Structure formats: C-alpha cells, structure tokens
Amino acid sequence: MASARAYLVVMVGVGETEIESDPPSIERPAGPSPNRRRRVAITALVIAAIGCGVAFRLWLALGSTSRTDSDQAIVGLMALQLLRHGHMNAFFWKQSYGGGLEAFAVAPSLAVFGTNTLGLVFPSVVFGLIAAWLSWRIARRFFSPLIAAASGILSLFWPAASVWFGTRERGFYPLTAMLGLLMVLTAVRINDEPKRTWRWVILGASVGVGWWMSPNIVYYAVPMSVWLLVRGHWRQWLNILASVVSAFAGSTVWWYANLHSHFASLQQPPWAGSTTYLDRFKFFWSHAFPFALGLRRPWLASWVLSAAWANLLYIGILVTIAVATAISLKHRAAWAGSPDLVLLVASPFIFAAFVGNWHLYEGRYEYFLASILPLVMCRAMTLRAGRALLAVIATVGMWSFVRLDIPRFTKARLPSTVPIGRALQAAGYRTAIGDHWVAYQLTFESDERVIATRLPSPRYDAYANQVRASRPALVYRIVRNHEQPQLHLMAFLRAHHIGFRTLTAGGYFAVLPESQVLP
C-alpha cells in the first residue's frame, strides 16, 4: 500500500483529477535478505563459541583437575597476607623471580568467594579471557573480521594444555601473557597514530610491569619494539623517552628488590641445567613448538598421535604458514607490516635465551609461545587448506587432552587437606609441619586456622616462627605402596619415650606428639 500512497501523492502534485489504480509493484521476497540471515547465523555461532570457550575454561578451573596444590596455595597465602596484614611480597615466596602483583587481584577474589578454588583461580580465568579478547583485537587490525573472530575463539580453546595451565593460579603466567598482548595491541595502535603520548606511556608501563612479573615479557616487548623502530617511529624520541620512563616506573618493585639482593633475579637458578643455546634452539623446533600447537602431550612429551602422523601434521602447518606468508607479503608493502610474523620469527631465538627452557612439564615454559599462536594462525587461516589443517590439529589436540590427559591429571591430583585440618583443630592443634606439598595447601585450605610449614627451608619465615614457638603436629600424605616416613618418626618418638597420638583423615596421617618435636 505504500506504493499506492506514493503514487497518489505524485498524481495530486501534478494536478491530475483522476486517481488511477496502483501501478504494478516490484515483488520483494518476504523476510530478511540472505546476507542478513548469514550475518545473523555467523553472529549466533560466534556467541555460542565464546560461551563454550568460557564454559570450557571454567570446567578446567573448577572441575575434576582443579584441586589446589601448594604452589597455587602460596599465591593465595600471599593474597591473605596482603588482605589481612598489608604485607606485600616483591616475588613468589623465597624466589627472586615471579612478581607478586597477582596477589593484589587474588586478594579481593578471596574476600568475595572465600579461601577455596574459585576464589584462588578466578583472576587467572579472567586474565585468560582478556588475553583472548586482546588476540581478537590485534587480529582485527590485519585480517578479515571472520578470521579475527576465529583467532579470539581459538584462544579460548587451543592449545588445550596451555589453556588448562592458564586456569591454574601460578602467580604470574596469565597476567604476564595478558600484559604482553596488551603491549602488542598498543604498539599496533601507535603505528597508526604515533603522536599520541598516552599510548607510548601504556606501552612502557605494560613492559615494565610485565618485566617485574616475568622476564618472559620479552617474547612480546623485543620483537614489537624492533617492529616500531623499523616502521620509522624512532623519530618519536620524546614519546620513546616517555615510554622508557613509564617502563621504569612499572618495574620499580623489581629494581628495589634487586638493588637489595645484588640482582638475584638475573642469576641463573641452580635447577636450570647445563644446556647450550643451540640445544634449546633445537628443542624449540623438536618439542616446544609442537607442544604449543597441541601435538605433544604435557609432562610425557610424547606425540598425541603416532610419530609419523603427528610429524606430518606438524610439517603441514609449518608449510602452510610459510605459503600463506609468501602470498600475503606479495600483496603487502613490506615485511614490517606484519607484526604477527615478527613475533613468530623472534620466538625461537628468545626461547633459546632462557636457560631453563628445556622442559615440557604441564606447559609453563611454552605458555608465552602458545599465547601468540592464535594470532599467528590467522596467517594460515587465509588459505582454505590452512583452515582445514588447523581444524584437524586443534581437534586432535583437544581430543588427546580431554580423552587422555584430563583423566591422568584427575587421578594424580592431591587430596583435599580440609578433613585433616578440621581433625587437627578438633584435637587442639593449630600448627603443623609437613613437606612442601602438604604444608601450604593445608594452611590455605584451613584459612590459616592451622599454620603449617616446611622445616627446614620454610617458604615463609613468619609461619616458621609460629611453628617453632609451638607444639606442632607432623602431617604426612598417605602414599600407597611406598615407605611411610611417619613410621620412622613414631619409632624415634618411642625410642626417646615421647608420648604421641595419631589420626587419619582424608588421605593424610598426622602424628600428635605430647612435646615439641622439630626436624
């Protein structure tokens, strides 16, 4: 009827006295256009994928593999010291590396959710989600919206072992990766608008704070700094100066701690081994990079498929990246216009520079490499073959991790110390001695109602002083088919005519001496 009304107006306007009937109208299909339906469908799929990615991370963080261990508990205890006593640590307890900033995020989380797994890991999950968002934002600057969205979604799921590791509270890994990707995004935006000083300040601050958290910030800082210089931004010397000042300000805690420790953070740790730079460079290509792609399993380092098939996939993705790079650079002005490639090319050389990078473990040493791979994989996704191959690799890696590794992690997880903590309190004991894997988990899960520590070589001197000034229980984890150290302790107590009681709760055995017994 709209066409009829328009026709009537026209006829009246030109002075017609007779209203003619409606002209034939163009038939339009009812409902939204095919393009709009396609956009709606893609949007729905993206939203569903994001929801599944968030659910996957929450399942990893709170599911069957989520039991708190003492390494994670120490971060929670650092947060409790900050929350209750205002005591801040520059680094992870009794370490000269691993910045303590994350305790500031964990403290309010524990205040809201309590001293439990959710309160402990919630900040790590959030940092991981922000990193995925940053990956999408970076990719959006260089690739199509669909490929950029795929990069962000890929970050939520892949590689699965690194995602799992990132949902655990390890003190500085997810936060450092998030700061690194923030630095990359800021560098990309500076390239577009180099005269905005505040962006240079953010760039420097993210690098400075990241350096305090972990030297692994260089995975992002070194290649992107070189990229900006190659792009001609060395002329922005005042802004560069502002960036350097903000970097120094962000790393102030690191400088303060190291000026009082003769720069202990720069000393080689005793466990690092004696591998050479070339050894670690080779290890990058033979183990680290395949692991980051999800083709090797955590801890075991074995291939997720037979060696032949896994190597075929590995070589295939390398060739695909090389071909996609060659094609894309043919249509770009210069190599310097591709920061994702600068990150990738720099990564094996930076990896080899760290003396401890010759392990796989659960993924800690490959975590930062894995954080940039979804961005790099955008290059492969520009080819149809690359999209198919990447889908195969991601699917195989996810299947292997969920089917083979999750059950293994679930079986190996440490039992909760909550039952033994309650039993000790009921028996009148408020302090305890145990090994590393018992003591700090017990202290955290009891919300410091039982103060436990390792002796000798305690992680936190204040706890050790409390224990030494008391009559502590001695707590052991029950390990089947292994020699039980508590048997030697009880034999010692009997030989010295020291009375004691024992109790068992939740996979732990406690000896309660009637007088103080210290190792």
Side-chain angles (χ1 to χ4, degrees):
M1 296 304 296
S3 60
R5 286 193 297 270
Y7 187 70
L8 175 61
V9 169
V10 171
M11 291 300 100
V12 172
V14 296
E16 293 288 340
T17 57
E18 181 178 354
I19 300 177
E20 298 184 12
S21 60
D22 287 350
S25 59
I26 300 175
E27 293 292 332
R28 292 183 175 85
S33 66
N35 286 339
R36 184 180 178 186
R37 287 197 299 268
R38 181 173 178 271
R39 288 195 299 270
V40 170
I42 291 174
T43 301
L45 287 173
V46 168
I47 293 173
I50 292 172
C52 290
V54 173
F56 177 62
R57 286 174 174 259
L58 290 174
W59 175 63
L60 292 178
L62 304 173
S64 60
T65 66
S66 64
R67 179 69 65 210
T68 300
D69 63 29
S70 280
D71 278 353
Q72 297 181 78
I74 285 177
V75 183
L77 293 172
M78 291 169 62
L80 290 179
Q81 293 303 305
L82 178 66
L83 191 64
R84 294 170 178 172
H85 309 292
H87 185 218
M88 172 188 165
N89 296 88
F91 301 109
F92 193 89
W93 282 350
K94 291 299 176 75
Q95 289 185 177
S96 57
Y97 62 94
L101 179 62
E102 198 154 322
F104 284 83
V106 176
S109 179
L110 294 179
V112 172
F113 299 113
T115 50
N116 51 44
T117 302
L118 175 60
L120 187 61
V121 305
F122 182 76
S124 293
V125 174
V126 172
F127 293 146
L129 295 176
I130 293 174
W133 177 79
L134 289 169
S135 180
W136 165 70
R137 287 293 307 274
I138 298 166
R140 187 66 185 88
R141 313 284 295 191
F142 300 98
F143 299 96
S144 70
L146 200 55
I147 289 180
S151 173
I153 292 170
L154 197 61
S155 299
L156 295 174
F157 296 94
W158 180 82
S162 294
V163 171
W164 170 77
F165 177 78
T167 60
R168 297 162 66 81
E169 182 48 76
R170 289 297 190 182
F172 56 89
Y173 289 88
L175 179 56
T176 303
M178 186 197 77
L179 289 169
L181 290 172
L182 174 62
M183 186 263 175
V184 174
L185 177 61
T186 306
V188 168
R189 294 176 69 88
I190 285 174
N191 181 61
D192 294 336
E193 298 174 298
K195 294 185 178 181
R196 297 200 174 185
T197 303
W198 63 271
R199 285 182 176 158
W200 289 89
V201 171
I202 293 176
L203 180 81
S206 61
V207 173
V209 176
W211 178 257
W212 171 28
M213 291 298 95
S214 171
N216 286 282
I217 195 68
V218 299
Y219 277 101
Y220 318 89
V222 171
M224 293 311 297
S225 296
V226 172
W227 183 74
L228 284 174
L229 294 176
V230 171
R231 297 291 287 173
H233 301 302
W234 54 269
R235 300 180 183 89
Q236 300 290 325
W237 62 272
L238 283 176
N239 285 330
I240 292 174
L241 179 61
S243 184
V244 170
V245 171
S246 65
F248 181 80
S251 59
T252 300
V253 177
W254 185 93
W255 285 100
Y256 179 84
N258 277 274
L259 287 171
H260 289 78
S261 66
H262 305 288
F263 286 89
S265 296
L266 301 180
Q267 297 173 16
Q268 179 173 321
W271 49 263
S274 58
T275 56
T276 66
Y277 186 94
L278 183 59
D279 291 334
R280 297 187 294 274
F281 188 82
K282 293 178 180 177
F283 184 85
F284 174 90
W285 295 106
S286 64
H287 288 77
F289 197 32
F291 178 88
L293 289 168
L295 294 176
R296 283 190 182 271
R297 297 175 62 191
W299 294 101
L300 303 177
S302 58
W303 294 100
V304 298
L305 299 171
S306 67
W309 280 108
N311 275 288
L312 185 62
L313 289 174
Y314 181 35
I315 294 171
I317 198 67
L318 291 177
V319 170
T320 300
I321 293 173
V323 171
T325 298
I327 294 174
S328 60
L329 290 182
K330 182 179 179 181
H331 300 289
R332 288 172 179 260
W335 167 273
S338 309
D340 55 304
L341 298 177
V342 178
L343 288 167
L344 177 62
V345 169
S347 59
F349 300 97
I350 294 173
F351 180 90
F354 287 93
V355 293
N357 281 356
W358 53 276
H359 302 283
L360 280 183
Y361 288 162
E362 71 269 63
R364 68 183 70 179
Y365 302 110
E366 294 75 26
Y367 185 78
F368 304 100
L369 169 64
S371 71
I372 66 174
L373 281 188
L375 178 62
V376 173
M377 288 303 116
C378 290
R379 193 72 50 180
M381 286 188 280
T382 58
L383 301 179
R384 182 177 298 177
R387 293 193 290 272
L389 187 59
L390 184 57
V392 171
I393 289 176
T395 302
V396 168
M398 179 70 76
W399 173 86
S400 173
F401 184 76
V402 174
R403 179 68 179 84
L404 303 177
D405 294 317
I406 286 292
R408 182 163 55 95
F409 293 157
T410 301
K411 184 178 180 180
R413 71 177 184 173
L414 299 175
S416 171
T417 62
V418 171
I420 192 66
R422 290 173 179 169
L424 290 173
Q425 294 174 65
Y429 283 76
R430 296 293 184 271
T431 58
I433 297 172
D435 68 16
H436 172 83
W437 298 108
V438 172
Y440 304 105
Q441 181 184 349
L442 173 57
T443 306
F444 176 77
E445 291 188 328
S446 69
D447 196 19
E448 294 189 307
R449 293 183 180 90
V450 176
I451 299 298
T453 189
R454 179 180 65 182
L455 288 178
S457 303
R459 281 283 190 167
Y460 188 51
D461 291 335
Y463 287 162
N465 293 337
Q466 286 182 255
V467 170
R468 291 190 181 106
S470 66
R471 179 168 53 91
L474 294 100
V475 182
Y476 303 86
R477 185 163 65 95
I478 299 173
V479 182
R480 307 297 180 187
N481 302 322
H482 286 75
E483 183 180 9
Q484 302 299 320
Q486 61 265 32
L487 298 179
H488 298 284
L489 171 65
M490 291 188 290
F492 171 85
L493 295 177
R494 292 189 185 100
H496 290 78
H497 308 290
I498 300 174
F500 64 90
R501 293 176 291 155
T502 64
L503 59 85
T504 303
Y508 293 90
F509 183 90
V511 178
L512 313 178
E514 294 179 355
S515 59
Q516 187 188 68
V517 177
L518 299 177

